[in-house]
């Protein structure tokens, strides 16, 4: 979990300040691209791989959410490698990466339409929930 999910999120977050300013070859009004490459292990069940499957699912979720949030807010394209159902070599991965960070891919812009609540409503609700959770001590029962 630390390497896959926390590591992926940490690296994306560290790149954010640079990408918000505009990556190499881009102007300051548009960001660059983030490419997260994961495995497909979590699409089905595998014996004794719960931790790996959970970590890979987390990387997928991080990628989808960053595509929505950072694509909308900063014009940063966040993509993920899609399975080709074959074992690839370094060349295959490199060519896929080049394609996924190119302008030929929408970078998750379709996810913008998937939102059911306006962004500001979600932000306000999140702040209320966060404030409430900070005010209530963790592990202390609230019922009698």
């Amino acid at each position: 979990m630390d390497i896959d999910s926390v590591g992926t999120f940490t690296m994306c977050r560290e790149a954010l300040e640079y990408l918000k300013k505009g990556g190499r070859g881009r102007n300051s009004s548009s960001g660059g691209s983030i490419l997260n490459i994961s495995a497909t292990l979590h699409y089905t069940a595998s014996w004794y791989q719960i931790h790996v499957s959970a970590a890979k699912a987390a990387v997928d979720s991080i990628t989808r959410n960053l595509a929505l949030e950072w694509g909308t807010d900063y014009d940063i394209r966040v993509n993920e490698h899609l399975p080709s159902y074959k074992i690839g070599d370094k060349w295959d991965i490199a060519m896929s990466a080049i394609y996924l960070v190119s302008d030929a891919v929408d970078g998750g812009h379709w996810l913008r339409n998937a939102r059911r609540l306006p962004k500001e409503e979600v932000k306000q609700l999140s702040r209320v929930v966060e404030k409430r959770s900070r005010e209530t001590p963790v592990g202390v029962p609230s019922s009698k």
Side-chain angles (χ1 to χ4, degrees):
M1 291 298 290
D2 281 347
I3 293 169
D4 290 347
S5 56
V6 176
T8 297
F9 178 75
T10 301
M11 292 305 295
C12 290
R13 188 183 66 213
E14 290 298 315
L16 178 61
E17 289 306 313
Y18 168 77
L19 294 173
K20 281 185 351 186
K21 296 175 185 171
R24 175 179 289 164
R26 295 184 178 266
N27 61 38
S28 61
S29 67
S30 66
S33 298
I34 292 176
L35 174 63
N36 294 328
I37 300 175
S38 186
T40 58
L41 183 66
H42 61 288
Y43 291 176
T44 61
S46 299
W47 289 103
Y48 311 112
Q49 296 298 307
I50 294 170
H51 61 296
V52 179
S53 293
K56 300 306 181 188
V59 170
D60 285 0
S61 182
I62 289 166
T63 302
R64 283 190 301 271
N65 281 278
L66 291 182
L68 172 67
E69 294 176 20
W70 293 359
T72 300
D73 293 346
Y74 309 115
D75 195 28
I76 295 172
R77 189 171 39 233
V78 185
N79 296 312
E80 183 180 1
H81 173 70
L82 300 176
S84 62
Y85 300 103
K86 74 176 189 80
I87 296 176
D89 57 21
K90 292 177 187 176
W91 178 257
D92 295 325
I93 294 171
M95 293 300 102
S96 296
I98 289 170
Y99 170 71
L100 288 172
V101 299
S102 75
D103 289 334
V105 178
D106 77 355
H109 291 290
W110 65 272
L111 290 170
R112 290 182 190 181
N113 297 329
R115 288 184 278 171
R116 306 253 188 311
L117 294 172
K119 181 179 176 184
E120 288 305 313
E121 269 186 61
V122 173
K123 190 184 291 186
Q124 288 174 349
L125 181 60
S126 295
R127 287 182 178 149
V128 169
V129 171
E130 181 181 0
K131 181 181 179 198
R132 201 176 300 152
S133 69
R134 291 180 188 275
E135 292 171 351
T136 305
V138 176
V140 177
S142 58
S143 62
K144 293 182 180 181

